[in-house]
Amino acid sequence: MSPVLVRVIALLSFITVVAPLKANSVTLAAAPFETYVSDEGEPSRLTSIVEAAFSRMQTDLELQVMRDAFLGSAVRSGKVDGEFAYIDLGERKDAVTLSAPYLPIYLYATGKKYDVEEIKLIPHLKDSRVAIENRFANTPKFRMLKEIKWSRNPSTYDAFKQLADDRAPYLITTRLLIEEFNLLLDKDGEELLHVSSAALMNAGFSLALGNNTPNAKATIEAFGQTIDVMQQDGSYNKILGLPWLSKDINNDGIADYIGETSVSLVPTDTLTAYPLDKSLPGDKSVYVIDGVIVETKAEAMAMLDGVKAERESLLDPDVYKTMIRRW
C-alpha cells in the first residue's frame, strides 16, 4: 500500500462518515452581509458552505435572504425553518436548536493609522469613536460597552465609509472583511489598513433550526459531521478563498494546517492560517493537502502547484471605487 494511500486512510479515520439524512426539505434564511450572504449574485461564502453541506447530506434546501428585523418572526411563525448565519453575541435564543459554529468570526479593530496596532483589548478604545455594523452593535455584548462612542451603520459599506471619510478613526469588523478591503486598497496602490494586534471579540456563524422543524436535532448533527469533513478536505479553502486554515484534525490538542492545491500558495506563510478552532499549532502540527496528510511542511509545499496570482477581492470594486479613490 502506498504511503499516500495510508495517509488518506489515516485522515478518514478522524472523520465521521455521514449517512444521507432522511428529512423533509429545509428552508433557511439570513440577513444580507457582504461577502458572507447575498441574493444578488455577489460572493456569498456562507451560502456556498451551507448549500454544499446540505447537498452532501442529500437534503433539499431553500435559502432566503431577508432583512434582519424579519428573521426572528419568520422562524417563530414557521415561515422558515431557521437561520443559516446566526451569530451568538449574548442574545438568548429560545425554541431553537443551534449547531456548533461552522465558521468562526474574529472581530478586530482597524484604522488608517499605526496606533490601532497597539490595541489588544476593547477597553483600549475607551472614549474613541468606533464605526461598527448594527448586526454587531445591537447585541448584548456590545451594548454593554458604554465607554465607546459607537458610530452605528446599517451595512458593511457604510461602516467602511465612516472610516474612509475620517468620521471615525477606528472600525470594528471581521478579520475576513478587513482582508478583502485591503485587497481593494492594494490593487489601487493605496496604503493598507492597520489592524489591532489581537482579536477583540470572537463569535461564530451557526445554523439555528426552530424546534418545530422536523428532524431538527438529526439535521444539526448531520450538518456538524458534514462540516467537519468539508473543513478538512479542501472545500473550505476553495469557498473562503483562503490558502491556509488551521484546525486540530487528529484530536491531539495541536492545530494542523489545511491547504488545497487550487488556492494554497507555496510562499504563503502558514502563520497567517485562518483558525477554525481554538487549538494552537506546534512542533507536531501535520499538514493536510486536498485531504491527504503529510508530516512536514516541505512535503506539503512539494504537493502544491507553485506560485499563484493573488485573487481579486470579494468586495465589489465598482461599489467601492469612489471610496477607494478618495482614500
Side-chain angles (χ1 to χ4, degrees), residues 186-225:
D186 185 56
K187 186 174 182 179
D188 209 55
E190 299 289 349
E191 183 177 355
L192 304 186
L193 286 172
H194 301 281
V195 183
S196 58
S197 59
L200 305 186
M201 195 174 292
N202 299 338
F205 292 106
S206 296
L207 190 66
L209 287 182
N211 287 342
N212 292 327
T213 303
N215 301 312
K217 184 177 180 180
T219 300
I220 291 294
E221 290 176 354
F223 179 75
Q225 293 168 5

Side-chain angles (χ1 to χ4, degrees), residues 62-295:
E62 178 186 345
L63 297 181
Q64 299 180 9
V65 179
M66 61 180 65
R67 289 173 57 187
D68 187 59
F70 299 148
L71 272 175
S73 61
V75 175
R76 289 191 298 272
S77 67
K79 181 180 178 181
V80 299
D81 297 309
E83 302 178 34
F84 68 91
Y86 174 72
I87 303 173
D88 183 5
L89 282 171
E91 290 181 295
R92 182 176 178 180
K93 201 72 176 174
D94 295 322
V96 299
T97 301
L98 280 177
S99 74
Y102 63 88
L103 182 65
I105 299 170
Y106 303 102
L107 293 168
Y108 282 77
T110 187
K112 294 182 179 181
K113 298 180 180 179
Y114 285 98
D115 67 329
V116 71
E117 297 178 7
E118 300 176 2
I119 295 170
K120 298 180 180 179
L121 301 168
I122 282 183
H124 295 167
L125 291 168
K126 180 180 178 181
D127 297 328
S128 298
R129 181 161 295 283
V130 181
I132 192 169
E133 285 191 58
N134 289 335
R135 75 182 71 250
F136 301 124
N138 296 335
T139 62
K141 285 191 177 181
F142 279 97
R143 283 198 296 264
M144 289 168 48
L145 304 172
K146 305 293 187 182
E147 296 179 330
I148 296 174
K149 300 171 184 176
W150 296 113
S151 179
R152 294 172 172 80
N153 297 272
S155 71
T156 299
Y157 176 87
D158 293 310
F160 275 111
K161 196 169 188 304
Q162 289 272 328
L163 195 65
D165 294 345
D166 297 320
R167 286 180 284 164
Y170 305 112
L171 163 68
I172 286 182
T173 189
T174 71
R175 167 178 162 179
L176 293 181
L177 279 174
I178 296 169
E179 291 172 355
E180 296 305 319
F181 194 81
N182 272 342
L183 285 175
L184 292 179
L185 290 172
D186 185 56
K187 186 174 182 179
D188 209 55
E190 299 289 349
E191 183 177 355
L192 304 186
L193 286 172
H194 301 281
V195 183
S196 58
S197 59
L200 305 186
M201 195 174 292
N202 299 338
F205 292 106
S206 296
L207 190 66
L209 287 182
N211 287 342
N212 292 327
T213 303
N215 301 312
K217 184 177 180 180
T219 300
I220 291 294
E221 290 176 354
F223 179 75
Q225 293 168 5
T226 305
I227 290 299
D228 283 341
V229 176
M230 290 175 59
Q231 289 179 341
Q232 298 179 42
D233 67 8
S235 298
Y236 259 49
N237 297 78
K238 292 178 72 173
I239 291 172
L240 298 174
L242 296 176
W244 292 103
L245 305 170
S246 68
K247 181 182 179 180
D248 178 9
I249 61 117
N250 50 13
N251 298 316
D252 64 356
I254 299 171
D256 305 298
Y257 296 110
I258 304 166
E260 198 274 340
T261 49
S262 71
V263 294
S264 297
L265 314 179
V266 169
T268 300
D269 196 329
T270 49
L271 289 174
T272 63
Y274 192 81
L276 296 176
D277 63 13
K278 296 180 180 180
S279 61
L280 299 175
D283 293 339
K284 295 184 179 180
S285 295
V286 300
Y287 294 78
V288 187
I289 307 296
D290 296 346
V292 178
I293 292 179
V294 294
E295 300 297 330

